[in-house]
Amino acid sequence: MSDDWESVTYLRKKTPKKSDLKTKKAVTEAQRKGAEVETSKKFAAGSNKQRSSTRDTAKLDRETEELHHDRVEHDLSKLIQSLRLQKKMTQKDLAQKINEKPNIITEYETGKAIPNNQILGKMERALGAKLRGKDKGKPL
């Protein structure tokens, strides 16, 4: 250290990043100090849309078709259940036989599942009867 009382050392603070200036804390602090703060509300920011959404909403309003997924029909769900019971299998046994989870079998038997031809094909082979087409319930 020098004994010179006249020397002054300045500690320089880092200038804040732009992202730090945009925080809520920084904005309120600047407002308290009376600094000029520019605020702008951005609508649909980050949505990557080049057109207004009014056309899309009007198109949706005109849409009358109800869109929904097809579910397993009631007669098919009862057919799966009856064939499984004829084979004296539990839902868990059938699920293991077709390499699916037991809740899949439950969904098919309650009619909540969305039909999947691959799963229906596995069930047909495991139960030994047709589940699709006009020959439903007949042996393979």
Side-chain angles (χ1 to χ4, degrees), residues 2 17 31-32 43 51 54-55 61 80 84 92 110-112 121 124 135:
S2 69
K17 296 178 189 173
Q31 287 174 337
R32 275 192 218 118
F43 295 99
R51 61 185 185 278
T54 54
R55 279 192 292 168
D61 288 341
I80 292 170
R84 177 180 58 80
K92 187 177 179 181
T110 56
K112 294 178 182 175
E124 284 178 344
D135 302 334

Side-chain angles (χ1 to χ4, degrees), residues 60 63-70:
L60 284 172
E63 188 72 43
T64 57
E65 184 179 345
E66 247 184 74
L67 302 174
H68 63 279
H69 291 290
D70 293 329

Side-chain angles (χ1 to χ4, degrees), residues 37-53:
V37 178
E38 180 185 337
T39 57
S40 61
K41 184 79 171 169
K42 294 183 180 181
F43 295 99
S47 65
N48 198 18
K49 287 190 176 180
Q50 301 298 319
R51 61 185 185 278
S52 67
S53 63

Side-chain angles (χ1 to χ4, degrees), residues 1-14:
M1 288 270 208
S2 69
D3 291 330
D4 186 16
W5 289 92
E6 300 299 318
S7 66
V8 178
T9 306
Y10 290 101
L11 297 175
R12 195 172 61 150
K13 290 184 178 178
K14 289 183 182 177

Side-chain angles (χ1 to χ4, degrees), residues 14-21:
K14 289 183 182 177
T15 56
K17 296 178 189 173
K18 283 188 176 185
S19 60
D20 293 339
L21 293 173

Side-chain angles (χ1 to χ4, degrees), residues 79-112:
L79 179 63
I80 292 170
Q81 190 174 20
S82 64
L83 290 170
R84 177 180 58 80
L85 292 173
Q86 283 176 5
K87 294 261 185 183
K88 296 184 175 134
M89 297 170 76
T90 63
Q91 289 180 346
K92 187 177 179 181
D93 294 337
L94 179 58
Q96 284 178 342
K97 199 165 187 176
I98 66 169
N99 294 326
E100 295 291 341
K101 293 180 181 177
N103 67 335
I104 301 270
I105 306 301
T106 306
E107 287 176 357
Y108 270 87
E109 289 186 1
T110 56
K112 294 178 182 175

